[in-house]
Amino acid sequence: MSLINTEVKPFHATAYHNGEFVQVSDADLKGKWSVVFFYPADFTFVCPTELGDLADFYPKLQEMGVEVYSVSTDTHFTHKAWHDASDTIKKIQFPMLADPTGVISRNFDVMIEEDGLALRGTFVINPEGEIKVAEIHDLGIGRSAKELVRKIQAAQYVASHDGEVCPASWQPGEETLSPSLDLVGKI
């Protein structure tokens, strides 16, 4: 079953955020747009490139009213150690959630049980707590924060413009579509 349009399942986690350990739960995702960004493990190879890319786009996402939560099966202590050790990870200003029991990873269907790691999963969640975008990659395939921003812009547009949809590669300001019988076979 697809996770699209389902509500985020309950969770509680400790996160490393702005030099402190803080508590984060599913309730924190409600009332604003959120991105839950799973990655396999701290102190690895592709992961810091993705998290650094996401950190570079974080100010733009904040302007859009979006909070980002990165998640791995590491502990919050490991997140702090990685943050302290890596110049790339030092750029991160969003909460880094610890999921050592795998509860959150299982809730989002990204857990690799035999390895105790999460797949590269990206989930965009609307203010009502419903998953609107779900993207899951194999471990060797890195993601693009620039494309994530575009997808969130499209999701936000569709949410606020009833009856309109965004075509492929849509960018803000471009034309959208209003599905109707008149368009059938004419696109």
Side-chain angles (χ1 to χ4, degrees), residues 7 10 14 16 42 60 64 97 102 119-120 159 181 183:
E7 195 166 325
T14 302
Y16 180 69
D42 293 356
K60 172 70 175 170
M64 295 166 54
L97 278 64
L119 290 165
R120 298 185 192 288
L181 225 50
L183 287 182

Coordinates of all heavy atoms in Angstrom, one line a residue, residues 7 10 14 16 42 60 64 97 102 119-120 159 181 183:
E7 N -1.7 9.5 6.9 CA -1.2 10.4 8.0 C 0.0 9.7 8.6 O 0.2 8.5 8.7 CB -2.3 10.5 9.1 CG -2.0 11.6 10.0 CD -3.2 12.0 10.9 OE1 -4.3 11.9 10.4 OE2 -3.0 12.3 12.1
P10 N 2.4 7.8 14.7 CA 3.0 8.4 15.8 C 4.5 7.9 16.1 O 4.8 6.8 15.8 CB 2.1 7.9 17.0 CG 0.8 7.5 16.3 CD 1.2 7.1 15.0
T14 N 14.7 11.5 20.0 CA 15.6 12.5 20.4 C 16.4 13.0 19.2 O 16.8 12.1 18.4 CB 16.6 11.9 21.5 OG1 15.8 11.4 22.6 CG2 17.6 13.0 22.0
Y16 N 19.5 15.8 17.6 CA 20.5 16.8 17.8 C 20.1 18.0 16.9 O 19.9 17.9 15.7 CB 21.9 16.2 17.4 CG 23.0 17.2 17.6 CD1 23.4 17.6 18.9 CD2 23.6 17.8 16.5 CE1 24.3 18.5 19.1 CE2 24.6 18.8 16.8 CZ 25.0 19.1 18.1 OH 25.9 20.0 18.3
D42 N 25.4 7.9 9.6 CA 26.4 9.0 9.8 C 27.8 8.4 9.5 O 28.0 7.2 9.4 CB 26.4 9.4 11.3 CG 25.1 10.1 11.7 OD1 24.2 10.3 10.9 OD2 25.0 10.4 12.9
K60 N 16.0 28.5 1.9 CA 14.9 28.6 0.9 C 13.7 27.8 1.4 O 12.6 28.3 1.3 CB 15.4 28.0 -0.4 CG 14.3 27.9 -1.5 CD 13.8 29.2 -2.0 CE 12.8 29.1 -3.1 NZ 12.2 30.3 -3.4
M64 N 9.8 29.1 2.5 CA 8.6 28.4 2.0 C 7.7 27.9 3.1 O 6.7 27.3 2.9 CB 9.0 27.3 1.1 CG 9.7 27.8 -0.2 SD 10.5 26.4 -1.1 CE 9.1 25.3 -1.3
L97 N 17.2 13.6 13.6 CA 16.5 12.7 14.5 C 17.3 11.3 14.6 O 17.8 10.8 13.6 CB 15.1 12.4 14.0 CG 14.1 13.4 14.4 CD1 14.3 14.8 13.8 CD2 12.7 12.9 14.0
G102 N 14.6 1.9 15.0 CA 14.0 1.7 13.7 C 12.5 2.0 13.6 O 11.9 1.7 12.6
L119 N 16.7 3.1 4.0 CA 17.0 3.5 2.6 C 17.0 5.0 2.6 O 16.5 5.7 3.5 CB 15.8 3.0 1.7 CG 15.8 1.5 1.5 CD1 14.5 1.0 1.0 CD2 17.0 1.1 0.6
R120 N 17.3 5.6 1.4 CA 17.3 7.0 1.2 C 15.8 7.4 0.9 O 15.4 7.2 -0.3 CB 18.2 7.4 0.1 CG 19.6 7.2 0.3 CD 20.6 7.7 -0.7 NE 21.9 7.1 -0.5 CZ 22.7 7.5 0.5 NH1 22.3 8.4 1.3 NH2 23.9 6.9 0.6
A159 N -2.1 22.4 -3.3 CA -2.9 22.4 -2.1 C -3.7 23.7 -2.0 O -4.7 23.8 -1.4 CB -1.9 22.3 -0.9
L181 N -12.7 17.3 -19.3 CA -13.0 16.5 -20.5 C -12.4 17.2 -21.7 O -12.0 16.5 -22.7 CB -14.6 16.4 -20.6 CG -15.1 15.0 -21.0 CD1 -14.5 13.9 -20.1 CD2 -16.6 15.0 -21.0
L183 N -9.7 18.6 -22.1 CA -8.2 18.4 -22.3 C -7.9 17.0 -22.7 O -6.8 16.7 -23.1 CB -7.5 18.7 -20.9 CG -7.3 20.1 -20.5 CD1 -6.5 20.2 -19.2 CD2 -6.6 20.9 -21.6

